[in-house]
Every structure is written in C-alpha cells, then in structure tokens.
Amino acid sequence: MRTSIATVSLAGSLSEKLRAAAAAGFDAVEVFEPDLLASPLRPAEVRALAGDLGLAVALFQPFRDPDDVDPAAAARSRERLRHKAALTRELGCDLILVCSSVHAGAVHDDDELAAQLTALADVAAGEGVRLAYEALAWGAHVADYRHGARVVALAGHPALGTCVDSFHVLSRGDDPDDIAGLDKLFFCQVADAPLLGMDVLPWSRHHRLFPGQGGFDLARFQRAVTASGYGGPVSLEVFNDLYRQSDPGRAAVDAARSLRHLADLTAPGTLPAAPSPSGWAFVEVAASAEGAPAVAALLGSLGLARTGAHRRGDVDLWTGGDVRVVVNHRASAERARLSSLGLRSDAPQVLAARARELLAPLVHRPVGPGEAEIPSLVAPDGTWVQFCGDDPDWRGDFLPTGEAATARSFTGIDHVALPQPFAGFDSAGLFLTTVLGMSPGELAEVAAPDGLVRSRAYTSTAGIRIALNVGPTSATLRGRPLASGHVALATTDVLAVVAAFVAAGGEPLPVPVNYHDDLQARFGLDKRFLDALRRHHVLYDRDPDGGEFLHFFTRAVSREFFVEVVERRGGYRGYGAANTPVRLAAQREHPAPGDGSGGGSAQGSRTIRP
Amino acid sequence: MRTSIATVSLAGSLSEKLRAAAAAGFDAVEVFEPDLLASPLRPAEVRALAGDLGLAVALFQPFRDPDDVDPAAAARSRERLRHKAALTRELGCDLILVCSSVHAGAVHDDDELAAQLTALADVAAGEGVRLAYEALAWGAHVADYRHGARVVALAGHPALGTCVDSFHVLSRGDDPDDIAGLDKLFFCQVADAPLLGMDVLPWSRHHRLFPGQGGFDLARFQRAVTASGYGGPVSLEVFNDLYRQSDPGRAAVDAARSLRHLADLTAPGTLPAAPSPSGWAFVEVAASAEGAPAVAALLGSLGLARTGAHRRGDVDLWTGGDVRVVVNHRASAERARLSSLGLRSDAPQVLAARARELLAPLVHRPVGPGEAEIPSLVAPDGTWVQFCGDDPDWRGDFLPTGEAATARSFTGIDHVALPQPFAGFDSAGLFLTTVLGMSPGELAEVAAPDGLVRSRAYTSTAGIRIALNVGPTSATLRGRPLASGHVALATTDVLAVVAAFVAAGGEPLPVPVNYHDDLQARFGLDKRFLDALRRHHVLYDRDPDGGEFLHFFTRAVSREFFVEVVERRGGYRGYGAANTPVRLAAQREHPAPGDGSGGGSAQGSRTIRP
C-alpha cells in the first residue's frame, strides 16, 4: 500500500508539514490549497522540496463547486480550473480533487452535470491533468459515491474518475462494498471518526480521526477499495481540532502508524503478528531521592515489603501477594509518577519487528553484569512499556533483602491509570490498540470540580487494563492539577486490606459522609456493611447484573501517583466511574504535598505519614 | 424577578459555588446532587452557609427515573425519594426536581405514570416537600412539557407540579406560548444554547449558555412563564464545558448579568435604558516606555501625527483624518496592546445606572486639573471602555504640539479586534451585547497554522464594530502566540495609503505570491489592479452582491498590536474572513519582535523601522 497524507491533517507551515510527513515515512502528500496559498513557497519550490524529501505530490485539492446552472458561472469555473491545472503541473502532480457542488447554483440534472464535468475534464486534459470527482456527504445534488460514479460514467471522459473518501461514505451509512465495482477509481482517502449524532458537516470538519481511533469499519471499506483494483496511494484526510494544534512530527507518526495498522487489518499478515502480553510483571514508580521515601512509606502501609534491591542500587523491588512494584530513586527532581509498565511477553523479538513497522522502535536500557535485557517501547506520553520474558527472569536483577511482605491478599495489578496531555489522548489510545493490540472501551466523561475529565480504558485478552485520563483544557489555568496517575491493586478482601492499611498508619482518601448516605438511598445496603464502607472511606458500585465493586484510594503521594485497592465481586467489569467525581473532589480537598492549597474549604495538605 | 442558579453551572467546590452566587447577587440556588455528594459539608451545614450568605435553597435536583414498570423497582424509587426528601428538608428547601424517565423500565402509560407520581408525591408530602416534574427533551415517554403537565394534572396531587426548562422546550422546537396556560408551574429554569445540529443530549450536556449568548428566543419563553402567574425564582441551569473550568466568581457575574438582561428583554424598562454609544472617540494603545517608540513609528509611517501631548505627560494623541489614537507610555513592561476604547456617549450618567444593574460598575480614572472626567467600564478581558461626552471635550486634556498629520484619507476607525482568553470568549460577548447593546454577528472559524481561531464581530447601530478572537486551546503549548489584537482604520483609498506608508518606510505584512495568483483564478481581476494589490501586499475580497473589500496589515508591533487599513466598496459588510488564514500564516512567518522565531521557514523577525 502506498501511503499518503493530506497536508490539512497536520499543523504548521506547508514546509513543516512536508518534513513531518517525510520523516514519518509517507510516500506522498495531497497538497491542500489553503496551505499552498498561505505559504511563501511557490509551487515549483514545493515540488522541489517534496522531491528532496522523497515525497510525491499525489493530489492537489480541493476544487469546489465545479458546476453551475448559470452558463457564465460555469465558464468562470472552467477558467478557474485552467489556472489550477497549470498550478497542479507546477507541483509535479497530475490529479485534482473535484468536490460535488454544495452551492445554490449546483446543477441538479445528471446529464447536464456530466456535460459540465466533461468540459472541465477537457480543460484539465489540455494541461495534462486528471480530475477525481468526490461526492461530499452534504453535496447539494451528488452526495452518494455511487451517484458520483454514475455521473462520471455518463461523462465517459478519460481524464475524469472517482475519488472515494471513507468519511463521506460511512458517515452516511452507505454500503462501502459497491466500491469494489468501480472501474475508474482515481483516488482513495481514508479517515475514521467517532460515531457522533450530529450534522455531518461539522462532524467532518472537527472530529475526524486517524484509522483505528474512531468507530468506522475501515477494514471493510479498504477491502472494497483493494477489490476494485485500485493501485494508487491510500491517503489520510483528517480534519481534527486537536491534531491541528499538535506537533506535526508526532501527529505524522500517529498517521503513519494508523495506516500501517489499517493495511494489516485489511490484509492480515502485512505486519508481523505479535503475541499480546500475557500479564503484568511489575509497575515502576520513579521519584527523586527526596520523593522516594513517601512512595516506600505508602507501599509499606499497604503491607508490601522491600524484598529486593537492584544490583546497581537506587532501585527497589516491593512485593505483596502477586503484586510487584519497582521503586526507582534515580529520577531527577520531579514528582513521583508511574514511569514504566512491565508486561510479561514470550516473544520480544517478534514484537520488535512489529513495533518497528508501527514506528515504535524498541529501546534498550543499559544492562549491567548479571542483569536481564528488557526490550522496551516508549509510549507517546513518555511511559516505558517493558517486555519481560521468563528466561532470563528480570527479578534476577534484584538481590533479595530477606524482608517479607505481610500482605497476602493482593491477587495482582487490576489496572493502571495514566494522565495524558490535553492533545495526547487519542494518540496514546492508538499506541495501545495498534502496538499492544488492546481493545478500547467506551469513552467516559466525568465532572471534576474544575472541569470535565475524559477517560477510556483499554483491555487485553490477558486481562491487562490501562485507563487513559485527560483533564479539562485549562486545568493548569486554574492552577489545580488533575490527580489521575495511579495503580490499582486487586484484592479479594478490600475491607481487610483497608483495615490493615489504617492500622499501619496509612490514610485512605477521605470520602464525604454525604456519599455514603446516597449509597444507602440508592442501593439499600445492609447497615453494618454500609458502616464498614463508611468507616474506612471505601467506595461502592453495583452493575445491573449484580456485580459489585468495592474500592478505596490512598492519599496521593503526588498528582501523578497514588494507589487504589479494588475488589471485584460477581463479574463486575467497570471501574466505578460513578464514583470518580467524588474521588476527584476529595483529591482537590486533600491535595498531594506540593500540589497547592486545594479547594476553598480545604484545611491544607497533609503528607502521607512515613 | 427572583434570581437563582443551579450549582452545576459554576466550577469549584459547593462552598465556592455558593459564595460566588451570593457575591453576584443571586437570591437563591438549586443544589445539584453530585455537588452535595462530593462536598464535605453536611446538608445542614449547606443550609447554614447559604443562610449566612443570604441565599435561599430553592430546589434540590435531580431525582431521576422516578417511575418503573417493575413494581419492586417503583417501590425502591419511593424509598429513594424518602431519603432525598428528608435530605431536602435538611437543606432548608421544600422542592425536588423530578425528571421524566429515560431508562428502559420507564412507564409508557399516562394513567400508570400519574399513579406512580401520585405515590411519590405522597412520600414527598409526608416529609413536607413538593415535586416539580420536568419533561426531559430526550425522555423515554414524556419529552414534551405539555405532556408532562397533562400527567401532572391527571395525578392531581397538591404536592406535584410542573418544572419548565427553556432548553428542553426550545431545543425540540416546541411552542413555549402554552406555558402561559399552565396552572401548576412549580419551577422555571432557563438556559440559552447555540443552534447546533446535533443530538439533544450532548447538546444539553456540553453547550448550554447563559441567556443572550445563544440562539434561543428566551424573552418569548419568559413572557409565557410570567403570563402563567409564576412567581418563583427564575433559575439558570447551564451545563457548559468552558464555564465548568472557569473562575466561578466571574462566571456567576456573567450569569447574573444575563438574567437581569433577560428580565429587561421580557419586560422592557426593568433596566434603565441607555443610549448606545454614537461613535468612536479614540482607541488607546498602552506600551512601556521602551515599547512606545515602535508604536509611534508605525503611526507616523501611516501619516498620523502626534498632535497632542497629555497635560500630565507620558500620553500622546495621534491624529490623521478622522482617526484618533492615544498612545499611553505609562504601561509597565508589557508588550504594546489595545488598552482602551473611547466611545462617544451623550449620557454617561444614565449609562452608569444601567451598567451598575448589569454588574459592570463605572470606574473613574484620576482626573487632573483642567481634564475631562471620562466614566469608564472594564470589559471582562481587562480592556477599558470609556465614554466621552462633548462637554467637557476629552481632547482638552491634550496640549497641542503644533504637528499636523499628512494622512487625510482616513475616515475613521473601521473596527477593533480584541484577543480573548480561551474560556473568555462568550463572557466578553455577553458584555458587548448586554452592557453596550451591540448585536452579535455569525461565528467564524478560521484555520491558523497552529489550530482553529474563532471570531465573532459585534456591531452597534452607530457603526461601531468590535471583533473578538480566541485562539486554539493550546496555542501557548506550541509556544506560538496568536496575533490578533489590532485596530482597523477606514479609508477611501487603500492603495494610496499603502503607497504612502511604504514611501514613509512602513512595512506591510508580506503576503505570499500564491495568494494573489489565486485571486486572479477566483475573481479574474484586471491585471493592473491585481499587480497593484500584489505590489503592496493588499488583500482582496468580494461579496455575492459585488461589494469589495481591500485591506492590508502592518507588520505587528506585538502579538497584541498591529494596524489594518481597510477600504469598503459597494456596501461590503464583512471583514475579509476568507483572507484571515493567509494573514495568520504570514504573521507566523514574520512574528512581532520578541514573539519567538516563527515558522520553520521564517527568516527571523524584523522590527518596524523607526
């Protein structure tokens, strides 16, 4: 599959866009006319720059409102096309995208429309250029790609063919399979989108996504394109408010990654298949030497013990039951945060080949004598994802301390939650789905005191769960950090864990009395059970099938590190999202040390007791 | 009109919300249940705090999914209501909002629904509480307020009445006039919203606005409410992503302002009528002593002259034709920016009374001997709006310098453009419409190289035009400022002005050659005319009626100050929005001094030559 991207999909100047597309390995670009008009580069200079970068200019776009019921206006359209065709040649390109008309003067008779398109194709052919006619989903007369193709067939001009765009096809609910029967498919654009109930025009202009980030069945679309015999580039045209303001280099990597993954979905085996990670090895918390003791104190209160010390020092292994937490003291002065996810994997070598194809090359930490090599990826938010085999065992890097954990009831890591930068949410999700093969859950929107928080959990077949959270746009403007980076430990008896935690000097995040009053009203819980929840600030949820979720949070060590302990009963599959507003408000009242003075009625912060 | 606001409309903790509502002068609040559940304040403490602040608790909300086809679930609903009714009494309130059901078990038979609501009303009445039943626009069975009122009538219970919410009525296109005939209207909520083509639920949850900020005819809605004999509070319930993350004190001021303005629209004369400003007196640019010479040099190149010096120094009056620009050197070290708009007004005293009612009290600058007192308002973005009468004449504050302007062709100030903080766009618009009586234009979305820019122009009957601009969320994250603060001077001969400007050493903002090539393709302009535009970087637009717009921009002195010169021909009414992407890209290539290195292909910044 030859890959292309429309320059409108990336931020920056035209030259920045071209450089970003080339760096991400694209074969070609579509030049979006407004990008050219705003550029100091003349068309020939664009051609030269693209050539130097190894990029073809596959298409110039868009030529809008080609036809008109007013003959004089139609003549002006041909004259306009003559200019644009000459320009297209200067770009080193021979194809112009022509959109179906949306204006009041649009022709509504297919024969007349075909005649006008034929006249335009004559003009284009005279300049050595072809036209790819695209049915916009909101076209005045032509909105269905099959209708567009019929008009193209009616015109019967060799320089006139069809362009299909997955958004325009799938947003209308049109069947993409008929694309397989198109015999003059000149160009193919793909975009994904969330399934939103809104007018198709603003949906298209603001909410398009790269393949795999939305809800369209693009593999089916793409299989139909392939079946048509189309051999041209597959080109991304993604209008997205956030990618418009994102670093174009990183966005281009997302774009290329999404397209390579789509190629693999369309024709399985295009990418090396990689086994999904089989479970958690560890999570790693990084803190400065000053910050690490608070992390250690928290883990100790939870009944974990420092059972191992790294051969090269400054890194400890804490264990308890089936939970392993690595505490790395080597970080620079930053606050404690989840820095690395250790996943068990049988085949890191196969994974390496696949990751490289998906533009996520493996990196390797320095390996000391006697240590296991742990191939790793760096996620878009900077978190390392490390793949731990059984032989050699990564635990061999740690020398036993002789200490023993008191906590036996932890059955493993339930999930981790990673805070994302505002424009990085969809990027991180794409990494998890394509590179790690995880499945996205539903988007949750949660009201925090200072704005809405979006959250989405990704799951793997082996039961790995990673939740991504992103705060409101201007959280930093109001100076209140969003507390969301944490690890959730699974237990079979959360009430016993919290009692032991408190007895050991731990402090659960305080939950308002009003919250537990509401639990009683909603669920009619047994009074003694409710009192137990209330006493130790344990939250509760119940799903429609009777599954139950009991969980508490520790006070935060930092805005990016705290611990949740969860107990799932009866097959509960969620994350207690209904409780998240209460948790976020409580964290605002009781912020982590150094994270500001909290809410108006907060009494100031207290540190976790060592 | 007694005024109320739902706590969900404001950011912060519950106590912060109450304080903000009280400070803005509200009479009452609706307590939104999730705010209470997340609060450390017990219901009795909320009641006490509200009482101390002079706020009534008008309503507790929402009670969702009251009815159920399953009798056991209906019984649980009554039990849940018993808890909430007791809680409501603790809040010092006797009214609960009950929403029409949206769940799968919703009752679809009016008689059965009325019976279940009657049973609930019995429970409520037992606790001394009444129920206000609201038809949600997306209710499973009851979605129309008239349907809800019929069910309430069918129940015929004294503790059961109707709640109307303008959003639920007007979002469906329902006729609000029938509200006048309701005989048991227990509560009234108002919210505005932009007219968006999207599903009503997300529209409601994310995009509500305060009255006057959207597209609903709320005066008509409110007149029907008044005609019904309703005498309770009119309460704002505004779910809005940006207000959720805004300072609650400022948002509450917007809220109160919008409600007082709505009262005046509903019953004209409620507020003191104020004559709209009759025209521009001046615009003022503030700069530090170091920054002011660049402003002076720019104005000088445009042919304006420093014709007056302020009696107390450090402030100059520049004039040219019918344009007056005050340059204030007293600013602290910040960059040059438009700091004040001087408007001509005949009746500042009447305006003062109205402004006070709209929570925009007049402020007064210190007045020295022989100076005119200029009553002023401070707009939400900090810009001063000053009202200048004829007697005394503000120009008397300046002593003539004897210099004379060379520019005679400036006919006045065409418009000013003010950049807004991300969450301040709707707030600033409300100030212009309510306090200054201006009319909003259409929202424009413009693609800048680093994200989308939103813009809306406000006009007054006397021809004052003020455009508000707001940049993409993370403009500052990418480190590139949005250049958007400027004054546009009107002329009858822009080509003569730009030629004189260049001859005087001025530098127009460079416009790419590609742009003028496109003008030729689009408009088929006369070659000599096009060459004249191109030579001096003059942009061009034409409206469907043949009106024409010629304009050029100076190089920016700072990101918040540059000058545009515009010529309107044939009744052109716009602002050349089609050219804005080109202007923004050019400003990124040629940033103001000190505003960073610009785009990837920029050659670095050059200063305006003195």
Side-chain angles (χ1 to χ4, degrees):
Chain A
M1 181 194 282
R2 279 203 297 143
T3 59
S4 169
I5 186 166
T7 55
V8 71
S9 311
L10 302 171
S13 67
L14 182 55
S15 61
E16 288 173 293
K17 292 166 189 247
L18 295 180
R19 288 178 205 283
F26 279 94
D27 301 310
V29 295
E30 301 173 41
V31 171
F32 185 60
E33 183 173 50
D35 286 329
L36 180 67
L37 299 190
S39 173
L41 298 179
R42 301 287 283 150
E45 293 172 305
V46 175
R47 172 191 196 156
L49 176 60
D52 289 348
L53 293 167
L55 289 169
V57 178
L59 182 90
F60 179 67
Q61 64 123 322
F63 189 83
R64 298 192 187 278
D65 293 330
D67 48 286
D68 202 302
V69 291
D70 171 9
R76 282 197 298 275
S77 178
R78 290 193 295 276
E79 184 57 26
R80 181 162 57 97
L81 183 66
R82 197 183 313 276
H83 278 90
K84 299 304 178 187
L87 186 161
T88 301
R89 293 299 300 177
E90 289 176 53
L91 284 170
C93 173
D94 74 344
L95 192 60
I96 295 179
L97 177 72
V98 175
C99 302
S100 63
S101 288
V102 300
H103 67 144
V107 171
H108 279 69
D109 174 84
D110 281 358
D111 290 320
E112 171 62 17
L113 178 57
Q116 291 202 12
L117 291 177
T118 297
L120 289 164
D122 277 339
V123 169
E127 300 283 344
V129 166
R130 297 172 304 138
L131 304 179
Y133 183 63
E134 176 182 61
L136 298 183
W138 52 92
H141 176 56
V142 175
D144 182 319
Y145 76 94
R146 292 160 294 204
H147 185 184
R150 284 197 303 274
V151 175
V152 166
L154 205 53
H157 194 290
L160 180 68
T162 296
C163 171
V164 291
D165 176 321
S166 63
F167 184 90
H168 291 295
V169 174
L170 301 175
S171 66
R172 294 166 44 89
D174 288 344
D175 183 345
D177 293 350
D178 293 336
I179 294 171
L182 297 183
D183 61 355
K184 287 179 76 182
L185 186 54
F186 278 11
F187 205 70
C188 169
Q189 294 174 320
V190 290
D192 206 344
L195 303 179
L196 301 175
M198 62 189 297
D199 287 349
V200 71
L201 178 58
W203 186 18
S204 172
R205 292 268 169 88
H206 297 285
H207 299 285
R208 290 188 179 206
L209 290 168
F210 295 120
Q213 294 180 318
F216 288 155
D217 184 353
L218 293 177
R220 179 174 164 191
F221 173 87
Q222 205 55 43
R223 278 192 294 270
V225 169
T226 304
S228 77
Y230 176 73
V234 178
S235 190
L236 295 164
E237 187 188 31
V238 171
F239 304 91
N240 179 285
D241 288 2
L242 289 177
Y243 278 115
R244 276 185 189 277
Q245 55 185 283
S246 299
D247 176 83
R250 298 185 65 155
V253 167
D254 282 2
R257 177 176 290 159
S258 76
L259 214 42
R260 293 178 187 203
H261 189 247
L262 176 62
D264 188 49
L265 290 179
T266 308
T270 305
L271 292 176
S276 200
S278 55
W280 287 101
F282 63 85
V283 296
E284 180 173 318
V285 185
S288 64
E290 296 73 33
V295 175
L298 173 60
L299 297 177
S301 303
L302 286 164
L304 278 71
R306 180 174 164 274
T307 55
H310 197 274
R311 293 168 182 272
R312 283 183 287 139
D314 291 339
V315 179
D316 296 325
L317 174 62
W318 288 75
T319 56
D322 204 23
V323 165
R324 291 161 296 280
V325 179
V326 171
V327 181
N328 186 330
H329 312 195
R330 294 175 191 154
S332 53
E334 295 178 16
R335 66 180 68 85
R337 64 182 181 83
L338 283 177
S339 56
S340 180
L341 312 180
L343 305 178
R344 288 206 299 266
S345 173
D346 300 330
Q349 291 71 21
V350 188
L351 197 80
R354 180 183 169 90
R356 196 179 308 115
E357 288 295 314
L358 288 168
L359 302 167
L362 287 189
V363 291
H364 296 268
R365 284 188 171 180
V367 176
E371 296 174 26
E373 170 149 344
I374 308 181
S376 305
L377 299 168
V378 182
D381 69 356
T383 305
W384 283 51
V385 181
Q386 303 188 270
F387 296 95
C388 306
D390 287 334
D391 184 23
D393 189 324
W394 63 277
R395 282 172 289 199
D397 297 2
F398 294 86
L399 303 173
T401 61
E403 296 179 35
T406 59
R408 298 277 168 216
S409 70
F410 290 123
T411 55
I413 290 168
D414 187 84
H415 64 277
V416 300
L418 300 173
Q420 299 298 311
F422 184 65
F425 189 65
D426 292 314
S427 179
L430 185 70
F431 175 86
L432 296 180
T433 54
T434 58
V435 181
L436 297 186
M438 302 184 79
S439 301
E442 291 298 308
L443 182 70
E445 288 180 325
V446 176
D450 295 306
L452 289 181
V453 175
R454 288 177 297 149
S455 179
R456 194 192 296 273
Y458 294 77
T459 53
S460 81
T461 49
I464 295 168
R465 302 183 188 94
I466 299 174
L468 304 179
N469 300 307
V470 63
T473 326
S474 61
T476 55
L477 296 182
R478 295 206 66 210
R480 297 182 201 281
L482 169 71
S484 63
H486 72 273
V487 56
L489 309 182
T491 181
T492 52
D493 190 349
V494 76
L495 291 171
V497 170
V498 72
F501 175 61
V502 169
E507 291 186 86
L509 181 71
V511 175
V513 174
N514 298 337
Y515 167 81
H516 286 99
D517 286 354
D518 180 60
L519 282 188
Q520 188 171 24
R522 283 162 62 208
F523 297 116
L525 298 179
D526 170 77
K527 186 171 180 316
R528 282 180 50 203
F529 179 61
L530 184 70
D531 285 346
L533 297 180
R534 190 197 306 268
R535 185 164 56 247
H536 286 316
H537 302 285
V538 176
L539 300 132
Y540 178 85
D541 192 27
R542 190 195 291 165
D543 66 27
D545 300 323
E548 294 177 299
F549 191 60
L550 286 73
H551 58 142
F552 77 92
F553 297 88
T554 70
R555 297 281 288 266
V557 172
S558 80
R559 80 184 66 163
E560 291 182 27
F561 184 65
F562 54 97
V563 176
E564 179 182 5
V565 179
V566 314
E567 177 183 344
R568 295 173 184 273
R569 297 179 177 176
Y572 181 94
R573 297 164 65 90
Y575 300 82
N579 298 327
T580 307
V582 173
R583 190 257 293 174
L584 289 167
Q587 288 178 316
R588 186 176 187 267
E589 290 282 324
H590 306 279
D595 271 356
S597 60
S601 61
Q603 293 89 37
S605 64
R606 284 178 288 168
T607 54
I608 303 287
R609 275 190 269 154
Chain B
M1 180 195 283
R2 279 202 298 143
T3 58
S4 170
I5 186 167
T7 56
V8 71
S9 312
L10 300 171
S13 66
L14 182 54
S15 61
E16 288 173 294
K17 292 166 190 246
L18 295 180
R19 288 177 206 283
F26 279 94
D27 301 309
V29 294
E30 301 174 41
V31 171
F32 185 61
E33 184 172 49
D35 286 329
L36 180 66
L37 299 190
S39 174
L41 298 179
R42 300 286 285 149
E45 293 173 306
V46 174
R47 173 190 195 156
L49 176 60
D52 289 347
L53 293 168
L55 289 170
V57 178
L59 181 90
F60 179 66
Q61 65 121 325
F63 189 82
R64 297 192 188 279
D65 293 329
D67 48 287
D68 203 302
V69 290
D70 172 10
R76 283 198 298 275
S77 179
R78 290 194 295 276
E79 184 56 27
R80 181 163 57 97
L81 183 66
R82 197 182 314 277
H83 278 91
K84 299 305 179 188
L87 185 162
T88 301
R89 292 299 299 177
E90 289 176 55
L91 284 170
C93 172
D94 74 346
L95 190 61
I96 295 179
L97 176 72
V98 175
C99 302
S100 63
S101 288
V102 300
H103 67 144
V107 172
H108 279 69
D109 174 86
D110 280 358
D111 290 322
E112 171 62 18
L113 178 57
Q116 291 201 14
L117 291 177
T118 297
L120 289 164
D122 277 339
V123 169
E127 301 282 345
V129 166
R130 298 172 303 137
L131 305 179
Y133 183 63
E134 176 181 63
L136 298 184
W138 52 92
H141 177 56
V142 175
D144 181 319
Y145 75 94
R146 293 159 294 202
H147 185 185
R150 286 198 303 274
V151 175
V152 165
L154 205 54
H157 194 294
L160 180 68
T162 297
C163 171
V164 290
D165 176 319
S166 62
F167 184 89
H168 291 296
V169 175
L170 301 175
S171 66
R172 292 168 44 89
D174 288 345
D175 183 345
D177 293 350
D178 293 336
I179 295 171
L182 297 183
D183 60 355
K184 286 178 77 182
L185 186 54
F186 277 12
F187 205 70
C188 168
Q189 294 175 321
V190 290
D192 205 344
L195 304 179
L196 300 175
M198 62 187 298
D199 288 349
V200 71
L201 179 57
W203 185 18
S204 172
R205 292 268 169 88
H206 298 284
H207 299 285
R208 289 187 181 209
L209 290 169
F210 294 121
Q213 295 180 316
F216 288 156
D217 184 353
L218 292 177
R220 180 175 165 191
F221 172 88
Q222 206 54 43
R223 280 192 293 270
V225 169
T226 305
S228 77
Y230 176 74
V234 177
S235 191
L236 296 164
E237 188 188 31
V238 172
F239 304 91
N240 180 285
D241 289 3
L242 288 178
Y243 278 115
R244 276 186 190 276
Q245 57 185 281
S246 298
D247 177 84
R250 297 185 66 156
V253 167
D254 281 2
R257 177 176 290 160
S258 75
L259 213 43
R260 294 178 187 203
H261 189 247
L262 176 61
D264 189 49
L265 290 179
T266 309
T270 304
L271 292 176
S276 199
S278 55
W280 287 101
F282 62 86
V283 295
E284 180 172 318
V285 184
S288 64
E290 296 72 32
V295 177
L298 174 59
L299 297 176
S301 302
L302 285 163
L304 279 72
R306 180 174 165 274
T307 54
H310 198 275
R311 292 168 183 271
R312 285 183 286 140
D314 290 339
V315 180
D316 296 325
L317 173 63
W318 289 74
T319 56
D322 203 24
V323 165
R324 290 162 296 281
V325 179
V326 172
V327 181
N328 185 330
H329 312 194
R330 294 174 191 155
S332 53
E334 294 177 17
R335 66 180 68 85
R337 64 181 182 84
L338 282 178
S339 56
S340 180
L341 311 180
L343 304 179
R344 288 206 300 266
S345 173
D346 301 330
Q349 291 72 22
V350 189
L351 196 79
R354 179 183 171 89
R356 198 179 307 114
E357 289 294 315
L358 288 169
L359 302 166
L362 287 190
V363 291
H364 296 269
R365 284 188 169 178
V367 177
E371 295 175 25
E373 170 149 345
I374 308 180
S376 304
L377 299 169
V378 181
D381 69 357
T383 305
W384 284 49
V385 181
Q386 304 189 271
F387 296 95
C388 307
D390 286 334
D391 184 22
D393 189 325
W394 63 276
R395 283 172 288 197
D397 298 2
F398 293 86
L399 302 174
T401 61
E403 295 178 36
T406 58
R408 298 278 167 214
S409 70
F410 290 123
T411 54
I413 290 168
D414 186 85
H415 65 278
V416 300
L418 301 173
Q420 299 297 312
F422 184 66
F425 188 64
D426 292 315
S427 179
L430 186 71
F431 176 87
L432 296 180
T433 53
T434 59
V435 181
L436 297 187
M438 302 183 79
S439 301
E442 292 297 309
L443 181 70
E445 288 179 323
V446 176
D450 295 305
L452 289 181
V453 175
R454 287 178 296 149
S455 178
R456 194 192 296 273
Y458 294 77
T459 53
S460 80
T461 49
I464 295 168
R465 302 182 188 95
I466 299 175
L468 304 179
N469 300 308
V470 63
T473 325
S474 62
T476 55
L477 296 182
R478 294 207 67 212
R480 297 182 201 281
L482 169 71
S484 62
H486 73 274
V487 55
L489 310 182
T491 180
T492 52
D493 190 349
V494 76
L495 291 172
V497 170
V498 71
F501 175 61
V502 170
E507 289 187 89
L509 180 72
V511 175
V513 174
N514 298 337
Y515 168 81
H516 287 99
D517 285 354
D518 180 61
L519 282 187
Q520 188 172 23
R522 284 163 61 210
F523 297 116
L525 299 178
D526 170 78
K527 186 170 181 315
R528 282 181 48 204
F529 179 62
L530 185 69
D531 285 347
L533 297 180
R534 189 196 307 266
R535 184 165 57 248
H536 287 316
H537 303 284
V538 176
L539 300 133
Y540 177 86
D541 192 28
R542 190 195 291 165
D543 66 27
D545 301 323
E548 294 177 299
F549 191 60
L550 287 73
H551 58 142
F552 76 94
F553 296 89
T554 70
R555 297 283 287 267
V557 172
S558 79
R559 78 183 69 162
E560 291 182 26
F561 184 65
F562 53 97
V563 176
E564 178 182 7
V565 179
V566 314
E567 178 183 345
R568 294 173 184 274
R569 297 180 178 176
Y572 181 94
R573 298 163 64 91
Y575 299 82
N579 298 328
T580 307
V582 172
R583 189 255 295 173
L584 289 167
Q587 288 178 317
R588 185 177 186 267
E589 290 281 327
H590 307 279
D595 271 357
S597 60
S601 60
Q603 294 89 35
S605 64
R606 283 178 287 168
T607 54
I608 302 288
R609 274 189 270 153

